[in-house]
Amino acid sequence: MTAPAQIPALPDDGTLTEAGLPASGTGRLLLLACGALAREILDLIRLNGWSHVDLHCLPAKLHNRPDRIADAVERAVTERRAGYDEVFVVYADCGTGGILQATCERLGVAMMQGPHCYSFFEGNAVFAGRDEITAFYLTDFLTRQFDACVWRPLGLDRHPELRDMYFGHYDRLVYQAQTDDPLLTARAEEAAARLGLAFERRFTGYGDLARELEARAAP
């Protein structure tokens, strides 16, 4: 599925939930997701007309502390599951070493499959067949937030000499594009140049994210 580059405006009719989606009655599905996936999930909700689906996102910065993801997900599930027929956790393992999966099983909720979003955007089966330990990945979100999520947290704005320590074992930057946006492609290519890496763009669309959400949200 090819997603539009722009996100349609949310309705402004006073019927929005806290998650920013139209409210309705029972039989609802709650998507509890990483904030780095918010744009993509909102696009899928609108493209498919899923009026029975609500979205709540946890801060994307949790990826800097994967040891905190499972606890944050458990708190959110406990606080928000009332009134929903199903809660689906839109995280992959994301560096939790299986702890998030065990937490979801204990809570009785399902979650995305795969090691991380790079895998499920490309498709877990395809990604598993790649041997790319020397590739550094960006998604649409990470391309937009490259300075905030990569450059400054690693201290490269203050100590550019750290580049070789962090990225010396990489040989290329792979931009996994969820949308056909020339401006994002240019920004990803600029990020590769700043890191001293070869650049590759790989259009993935939404991959397994779309397939899993479509299976969950189908009436």
Side-chain angles (χ1 to χ4, degrees):
M1 176 183 296
T2 300
Q6 300 298 322
I7 297 177
L10 287 169
D12 187 16
D13 58 4
T15 63
L16 301 183
T17 66
E18 181 183 6
L21 299 171
S24 61
T26 58
R28 302 192 66 79
L29 166 66
L30 175 63
L31 301 177
L32 181 61
C34 172
L37 303 174
R39 282 175 176 255
E40 289 74 23
I41 295 172
L42 287 172
D43 267 347
L44 288 167
I45 288 172
R46 293 186 183 88
L47 285 167
N48 291 283
W50 293 333
S51 59
H52 62 296
V53 177
D54 292 333
L55 171 66
H56 176 70
C57 287
L58 298 178
K61 66 182 181 181
L62 279 172
H63 279 290
N64 294 331
R65 292 297 305 271
D67 56 304
R68 297 181 180 179
I69 291 175
D71 287 345
V73 167
E74 180 166 6
R75 286 193 299 271
V77 170
T78 301
E79 292 170 0
R80 295 176 177 273
R81 73 189 310 169
Y84 289 96
D85 284 358
E86 182 181 3
V87 177
F88 184 62
V89 174
V90 195
Y91 275 88
D93 181 75
C94 298
T96 69
I99 296 175
L100 181 57
Q101 178 72 56
T103 298
C104 288
E105 290 174 356
R106 175 166 51 80
L107 294 171
V109 298
M111 62 177 280
M112 285 288 302
Q113 296 303 302
H116 38 61
C117 63
Y118 312 120
S119 178
F120 66 63
F121 274 139
E122 184 146 0
N124 286 319
V126 173
F127 193 89
R130 294 191 181 277
D131 182 14
E132 296 187 323
I133 61 173
T134 60
F136 180 73
Y137 295 95
L138 292 183
T139 61
D140 281 8
F141 173 83
L142 285 174
T143 298
R144 292 187 188 95
Q145 302 296 328
F146 180 76
D147 282 346
C149 292
V150 179
W151 197 255
R152 290 198 296 271
L154 293 178
L156 293 170
D157 56 329
R158 303 178 303 279
H159 301 286
E161 69 275 9
L162 294 175
R163 191 220 72 93
D164 288 345
M165 183 178 76
Y166 289 126
F167 295 97
H169 63 291
Y170 293 110
D171 59 21
R172 69 193 184 280
L173 182 150
V174 176
Y175 168 40
Q176 294 182 322
Q178 282 73 68
T179 56
D180 279 317
D181 186 333
L183 292 178
L184 279 181
T185 297
R187 290 175 66 173
E189 191 165 9
E190 178 190 5
R194 291 166 69 183
L195 296 175
L197 301 176
F199 177 70
E200 177 184 345
R201 180 185 184 274
R202 191 178 293 164
F203 181 77
T204 65
Y206 294 158
D208 286 350
L209 176 67
R211 288 182 280 274
E212 289 218 31
L213 294 191
E214 286 163 1
R216 291 283 164 185

